[in-house]
C-alpha cells in the first residue's frame, strides 16, 4: 500500500522531494538530508531528485522504528570507581545563573508528593531539555528552606558517569562517605544512611538504568530516605512514582490572543528573557507577538528548544525565525511510544541548532564533545583546533556556540593562575555532538589530542604538586579529574601501551596527593599489563608510579616487584634521576618492613646519585630516610646519632621553608617528630607532628595526616586517654574508607596503643569513645588531634636555670622561628620574646641562636 495515499499514484510513480515530504508529513529539507545521508534512495534527473514509493515506504517505516544510539547512552566514562576528595562534603549543587520561568504548579505537586511517606522514590521524566533538573533544584531548595528533611537535601550529578557501577560510589562522594575496606560502596551507603531522614536528588539517571535496583536496595534498608530522580525514562522498579514534567504552558492560537495574554504564557516569557540576553533591546510587541507565540507552540513549549531558538534573535527577527523553523525543524523522537511524536525527543531540536552553524562552528561543536565535565579555553585550543585557525578564530567560534546555548559557561576555574573561565556542554547536547564526532571520522584523532593535552597538563602540574603551587594545581586537576579519567580510559582501551604508561606517570602525583590511591594503582596496573612495545624510560616511570601507590595500599610485594624491575631498567639505561627516585621508594618500603639496614643503604645511594642535580624534593626525601634508618638501625652511639639526625633534619626544614614547599615541609616535620620521639622528647615530637598535620590539612592532602594523627594519639595515651581513643577509632575508620593499609610495625604499635587505652578506660568507656571517634567528621578529627596534650614535661635538672617559659621559647628558637613568630605563638610582644631569647643565650653561655639550639640538643633540653 503506498505511503500516505497520494491520489492516483501508482507503486512505481517517482515523487519529487517536495511530494515525498508531503507524504511523510515532514519538511522538504528533512527529505533532502535523508537522501544526502544515504537513508533514502533517490535518483537525480535533470537536477531534480525522484523517489520511488517502495523506497519511500521503507524509509517511512525506519523512521517509525525506535532508534538507539550507542553514543547517546555512553558519554565518555571514567573507567574506575572514583575515590572522593578530602574535605567536608556539601549538599550544594551548582547554582543556576538564569531564572526559572514558571513551574510553580509542578513544583508544588512534586513537593507534596515528596512529603508523603508512601512515596520513597519519585522520578521526574520527560525528554531532554524539558527542565527536569531545574524543577528538581527548585523543589530541593524549597524543602531545604522549610527544614522538611532533618538530615538535609543532597544533590548528586550523574551525567558525567558512563557506567552503572559508579553510581553508588558517586553518591557516597557527594555525601562525604568513603568506602570501608572490603565493603562495597552500596553497603557503606546503607550503613551511613540507616536512621537518617534526608532527601537524595539523583540527576540524569537515564544512561545508568542497570543501577536502579541499587537505589531500591538503599530505600529498603533506610526507611527515612527519600529519593528524587530525574531521567528521560522511568526506572521501572518497585515503589517508583512517576511525575511526567510537561512542556511550558503555551498561548492559545485558536483565536488571536491579546498581547497581555501572550506575554503571560510561561513559554513566551522564557523566549523573551533569553532573547533579551543576546539582544538587550528585544521586546514583545503587537507586531511580533503572533510570531513569538507560533515559535513557542511549534517548539512544543520545550524549554531548551525555546532557548536555542531565542539565542538567534540577534540575527533573525521572530517572523524570519518562524519561517526557518517551518523549513528545518524535524519532529521530536525517542520519547514514550504512546506519547505524541512531537514530545518524544530533544535530539532534532539540537540538530536544528547544529544546522544553523557555520562549517567551522560545526567542527568545533563536535570536537568539544570529547571533554568530560567541562573544559578551559586552552584545553579547547589544544584539543580541537586544526589547520591554520588563530586563537582569535577559536574564541570567536566558541563564543558563537555559547550564544547558541550549545555550550554553557561554568564560571571561573579556581585552579588556573589566570582565573580562566570554564565551559561545558549540556549532556543532551554533548550526546548529539558525540554522534556527529563519530560520524565525522575525527573521533580517534580528537581523543588523541585530548589525551595529549591532559598528559601535558598533568606533567606541568606534577612539578608544582611538589612545589609551592601545590594547592592551586590540586584545584585545577580536581576540576579536570573526569577529563583525566577520560584520557586514561581511552588510552588503556584504544591507544598504544606507551601512551597509557605516559599518562599514568603524568597523573600519578594527582592521584597520590589527592588520596585516590586505589584508583591510581588500578590505572598503573592496567597500563603496565597492556600488550605492545613501550620505551624503556616510559615503562620505568610507570613502574615508579605503581610502586609509589603500592605502599599505602598495602600491596607491598607488588610494590617491591615494580620498584626492583624499574631500578634494574633504570640502571641499564643509566638514568640517574630515575635511579635515585626508585631507590627512595625501595628505601621507604624496606623501612616499612623494619629492614633499616637495607633502607639506609638504598637512601644513601640515592643521595649520592641525586646530589649532582642540586637541592630538590627527592634529594631531601632521600636524606629523610637516610637519617631515620640510620637512627633506627644504630647499635652503638644511638644518642649521638639522634642528635646528628636532628641537626641535619633542621637543615632540610630550613631548605623546605625557604623554598616555600608545603609537602616537603610537612614531611620534614614528621621526620623531626619521629627522631624527637626516639629521643624521648614527646613535647617536641607532638609540636612537630601537629605542624605536619596542619600543613597537610591546609593544602588539601589530609589523608597524608592520618598516619601522623595516629602517632599523636599513641604518645598521648596517658595524658588524654579518652581523646586518644577517639582518634585511634577515627583513624582506623578512615584507613578502611580510604583503603589504606598500614605497614606491620605501625599495625603492631596501634594494637598496643588500643590495648593500653582499653585498660585505662575500661571496656564500656573505651567502646563509647571508639565509636564516637569512628563517627567524627574529618575536620573534627584534625581539631581533636591539634588539641591533644602529651605527658607534661618535667624540666630537666641542668645548671642553666632556665624557666618553663624559657624552655618553651628555646624549643621554638631551635626550629628557627624569629622573635616575631615566637611572640605570635605565645601572644606576647616581640620585645618580650627578644628578652626571653637574650636570657636563654646568656644562661647557656652561647653567642647566637644556632649555637643555643645545638647546646640544648646536646644537653637533652629539647
Amino acid at each position: 500500500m503506498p505511503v500516505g495515499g497520494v491520489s492516483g499514484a501508482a507503486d512505481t510513480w517517482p515523487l519529487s522531494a517536495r511530494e515525498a515530504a508531503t507524504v511523510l508529513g515532514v519538511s522538504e529539507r528533512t527529505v533532502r538530508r535523508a537522501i544526502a545521508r544515504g537513508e533514502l534512495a533517490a535518483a537525480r534527473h535533470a537536477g531534480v531528485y525522484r523517489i520511488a514509493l517502495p523506497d519511500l515506504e521503507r524509509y517511512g517505516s525506519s523512521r517509525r522504528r525506535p532508534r538507539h544510539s550507542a553514543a547517546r547512552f555512553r558519554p565518555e566514562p571514567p573507567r574506575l570507581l572514583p575515590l572522593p576528595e578530602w574535605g567536608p562534603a556539601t549538599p550544594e549543587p551548582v547554582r543556576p545563573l538564569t531564572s526559572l520561568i514558571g513551574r510553580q504548579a509542578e513544583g508544588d505537586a512534586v513537593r507534596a508528593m515528596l512529603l508523603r511517606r508512601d512515596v520513597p522514590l519519585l522520578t521526574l521524566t520527560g525528554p531532554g531539555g524539558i527542565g527536569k533538573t531545574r524543577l528538581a533544584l527548585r523543589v530541593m531548595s524549597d524543602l531545604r528552606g522549610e527544614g522538611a528533611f532533618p538530615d538535609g537535601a543532597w544533590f548528586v550529578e550523574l551525567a558525567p558517569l558512563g557506567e552503572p557501577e559508579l553510581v553508588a560510589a558517586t553518591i557516597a562522594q557527594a555525601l562525604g562517605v568513603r568506602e570501608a575496606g572490603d565493603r562495597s560502596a552500596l553497603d557503606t551507603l546503607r550503613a551511613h544512611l540507616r536512621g537518617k531522614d534526608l532527601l537524595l536528588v539523583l540527576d540524569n539517571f537515564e544512561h545508568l538504568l542497570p543501577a536502579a535496583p541499587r537505589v531500591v536496595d538503599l530505600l529498603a534498608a533506610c526507611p527515612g530516605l527519600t529519593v528524587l530522580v530525574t531521567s528521560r525514562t522511568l526506572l521501572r522498579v518497585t515503589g517508583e512514582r512517576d511525575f511526567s514534567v510537561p512542556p511550558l504552558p503555551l498561548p492559545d492560537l485558536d483565536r488571536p490572543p491579546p498581547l497581555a495574554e501572550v506575554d503571560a504564557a510561561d513559554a513566551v516569557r522564557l523566549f523573551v528573557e533569553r532573547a533579551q540576553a543576546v539582544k538587550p533591546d528585544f521586546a514583545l510587541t503587537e507586531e511580533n507577538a503572533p510570531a513569538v507565540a507560533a515559535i513557542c507552540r511549534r517548539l512544543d513549549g520545550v524549554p531548551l528548544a525555546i532557548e536555542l531558538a531565542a539565542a538567534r534573535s540577534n540575527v533573525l527577527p521572530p517572523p524570519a525565525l518562524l519561517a526557518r523553523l517551518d523549513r528545518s525543524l524535524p519532529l521530536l523522537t525517542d520519547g514514550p511510544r504512546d506519547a505524541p511524536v512531537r514530545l518524544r525527543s530533544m535530539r532534532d531540536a539540537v540538530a536544528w541548532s547544529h544546522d544553523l552553524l557555520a562549517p567551522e562552528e560545526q567542527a568545533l561543536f563536535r570536537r568539544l564533545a570529547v571533554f568530560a565535565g567541562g573544559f578551559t579555553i586552552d584545553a579547547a585550543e589544544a584539543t580541537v583546533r586544526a589547520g591554520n585557525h588563530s586563537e582569535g578564530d577559536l574564541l570567536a567560534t566558541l563564543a558563537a556556540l555559547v550564544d547558541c546555548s550549545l555550550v554553557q559557561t561554568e564560571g571561573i576555574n579556581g585552579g588556573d593562575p589566570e582565573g580562566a573561565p570554564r565551559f561545558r556542554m549540556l549532556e543532551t547536547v554533548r550526546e548529539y555532538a558525540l554522534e556527529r564526532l563519530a560520524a565525522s571520522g575525527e573521533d580517534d584523532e580528537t581523543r588523541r589530542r585530548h589525551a595529549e593535552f591532559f598528559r601535558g597538563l598533568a606533567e606541568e602540574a606534577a612539578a608544582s604538586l611538589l612545589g609551592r603551587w601545590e594547592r592551586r594545581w590540586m584545584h585545577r586537576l580536581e576540576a579536570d579529574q573526569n577529563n583525566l579519567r577520560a584520557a586514561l580510559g581511552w588510552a588503556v582501551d584504544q591507544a598504544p601501551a606507551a601512551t597509557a604508561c605516559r599518562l599514568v606517570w603524568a597523573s600519578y602525583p594527582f592521584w597520590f596527593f589527592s588520596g585516590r590511591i586505589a584508583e591510581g594503582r588500578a590505572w598503573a596496573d592496567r597500563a603496565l599489563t597492556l600488550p605492545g612495545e613501550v620505551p624503556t624510560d616510559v615503562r620505568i616511570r610507570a613502574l615508579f608510579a605503581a610502586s609509589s601507590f603500592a605502599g599505602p595500599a598495602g600491596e607491598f610485594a607488588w610494590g617491591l616487584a615494580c620498584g626492583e624491575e624499574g631500578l634494574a631498567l633504570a640502571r641499564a639505561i643509566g638514568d640517574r634521576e630515575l635511579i635515585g627516585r626508585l631507590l627512595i621508594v625501595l628505601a621507604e618500603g624496606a623501612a616499612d618492613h623494619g629492614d633499616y639496614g637495607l633502607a639506609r643503604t638504598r637512601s644513601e645511594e640515592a643521595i649520592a646519585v641525586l646530589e649532582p642535580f642540586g637541592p630538590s624534593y627527592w634529594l631531601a626525601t632521600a636524606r629523610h630516610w637516610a637519617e631515620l634508618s640510620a637512627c633506627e638501625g644504630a647499635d652503638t652511639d644511638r644518642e649521638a646519632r639522634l642528635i646528628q639526625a636532628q641537626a641535619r633534619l633542621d637543615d632540610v626544614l630550613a631548605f623546605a621553608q625557604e623554598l616555600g614547599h608545603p609537602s616537603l615541609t610537612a614531611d620534614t616535620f614528621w621526620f623531626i617528630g619521629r627522631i624527637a620521639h626516639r629521643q624521648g622528647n614527646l613535647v617536641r615530637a607532638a609540636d612537630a607532628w601537629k605542624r605536619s598535620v596542619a600543613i597537610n590539612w591546609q593544602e588539601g592532602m589530609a589523608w597524608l595526616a592520618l598516619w601522623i594523627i595516629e602517632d599523636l594519639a599513641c604518645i598521648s595515651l596517658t595524658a588524654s586517654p579518652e581523646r586518644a581513643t577517639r582518634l585511634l577509632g577515627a583513624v582506623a575508620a578512615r584507613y578502611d574508607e580510604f583503603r589504606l593499609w598500614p605497614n606491620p610495625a605501625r599495625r603492631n604499635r596501634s594494637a598496643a596503643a588500643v590495648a593500653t587505652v582499653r585498660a585505662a578506660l575500661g571496656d564500656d568507656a573505651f567502646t563509647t569513645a571508639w565509636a564516637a571517634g569512628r563517627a567524627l567528621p574529618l575536620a573534627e578529627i584534625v581539631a581533636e588531634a591539634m588539641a591533644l596534650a602529651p605527658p607534661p614535661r618535667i624540666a630537666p635538672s641542668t645548671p642553666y636555670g632556665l624557666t618553663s617559659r624559657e624552655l618553651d621559647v628555646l624549643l621554638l628558637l631551635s626550629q628557627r622561628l624569629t622573635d616575631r613568630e615566637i611572640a605570635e605563638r605565645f601572644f606576647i610582644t616581640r620585645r618580650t620574646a627578644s628578652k626571653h631569647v637574650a636570657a636563654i643565650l646568656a644562661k647557656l653561655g652561647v653567642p647566637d641562636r644556632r649555637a643555643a639550639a645545638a647546646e640544648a640538643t646536646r644537653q637533652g633540653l629539647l
Side-chain angles (χ1 to χ4, degrees), residues 692-713:
S692 185
V693 169
I695 293 170
N696 281 315
W697 172 252
Q698 182 180 2
E699 294 300 318
M701 297 178 287
W703 78 275
L704 291 170
L706 285 177
W707 323 100
I708 311 168
I709 291 174
E710 186 177 55
D711 290 337
L712 281 166

Side-chain angles (χ1 to χ4, degrees), residues 613-669:
F613 295 98
S616 68
Y617 171 89
W618 297 106
L619 179 59
T621 302
R623 295 191 188 281
H624 287 161
W625 288 107
E627 296 304 325
L628 181 63
S629 55
C631 292
E632 295 288 359
D635 295 326
T636 59
D637 297 326
R638 183 181 179 86
E639 291 302 321
R641 191 70 189 82
L642 287 167
I643 292 172
Q644 183 184 56
Q646 280 288 8
R648 290 179 175 175
L649 288 174
D650 284 344
D651 290 338
V652 176
L653 179 63
F655 165 72
Q657 292 176 328
E658 181 181 350
L659 193 65
H661 196 312
S663 286
L664 182 58
T665 302
D667 289 350
T668 307
F669 272 125

Side-chain angles (χ1 to χ4, degrees), residues 584-767:
I584 293 170
V585 171
L586 290 170
E588 183 176 355
D592 283 344
H593 284 77
D595 191 345
Y596 292 107
L598 179 59
R600 182 176 183 181
T601 300
R602 297 288 202 194
S603 53
E604 288 181 347
E605 183 184 355
I607 292 172
V609 169
L610 294 173
E611 272 186 329
F613 295 98
S616 68
Y617 171 89
W618 297 106
L619 179 59
T621 302
R623 295 191 188 281
H624 287 161
W625 288 107
E627 296 304 325
L628 181 63
S629 55
C631 292
E632 295 288 359
D635 295 326
T636 59
D637 297 326
R638 183 181 179 86
E639 291 302 321
R641 191 70 189 82
L642 287 167
I643 292 172
Q644 183 184 56
Q646 280 288 8
R648 290 179 175 175
L649 288 174
D650 284 344
D651 290 338
V652 176
L653 179 63
F655 165 72
Q657 292 176 328
E658 181 181 350
L659 193 65
H661 196 312
S663 286
L664 182 58
T665 302
D667 289 350
T668 307
F669 272 125
W670 180 79
F671 280 95
I672 287 173
R674 183 84 177 263
I675 298 300
H677 180 250
R678 290 296 179 268
Q679 291 175 312
N681 191 338
L682 301 186
V683 173
R684 188 176 193 196
D687 182 79
W689 285 342
K690 287 179 182 180
R691 290 171 179 270
S692 185
V693 169
I695 293 170
N696 281 315
W697 172 252
Q698 182 180 2
E699 294 300 318
M701 297 178 287
W703 78 275
L704 291 170
L706 285 177
W707 323 100
I708 311 168
I709 291 174
E710 186 177 55
D711 290 337
L712 281 166
C714 287
I715 67 171
S716 303
L717 302 178
T718 58
S720 310
E722 185 176 351
R723 178 170 282 163
T725 301
R726 286 199 300 272
L727 283 177
L728 290 170
V731 170
R734 294 308 183 278
Y735 283 164
D736 289 343
E737 293 168 4
F738 242 130
R739 291 187 278 184
L740 299 175
W741 191 252
N743 62 55
R746 182 172 288 277
R747 291 200 302 273
N748 292 337
R749 184 165 62 253
S750 178
V754 168
T756 299
V757 290
R758 184 188 290 273
L761 295 176
D763 286 344
D764 291 344
F766 169 83
T767 300

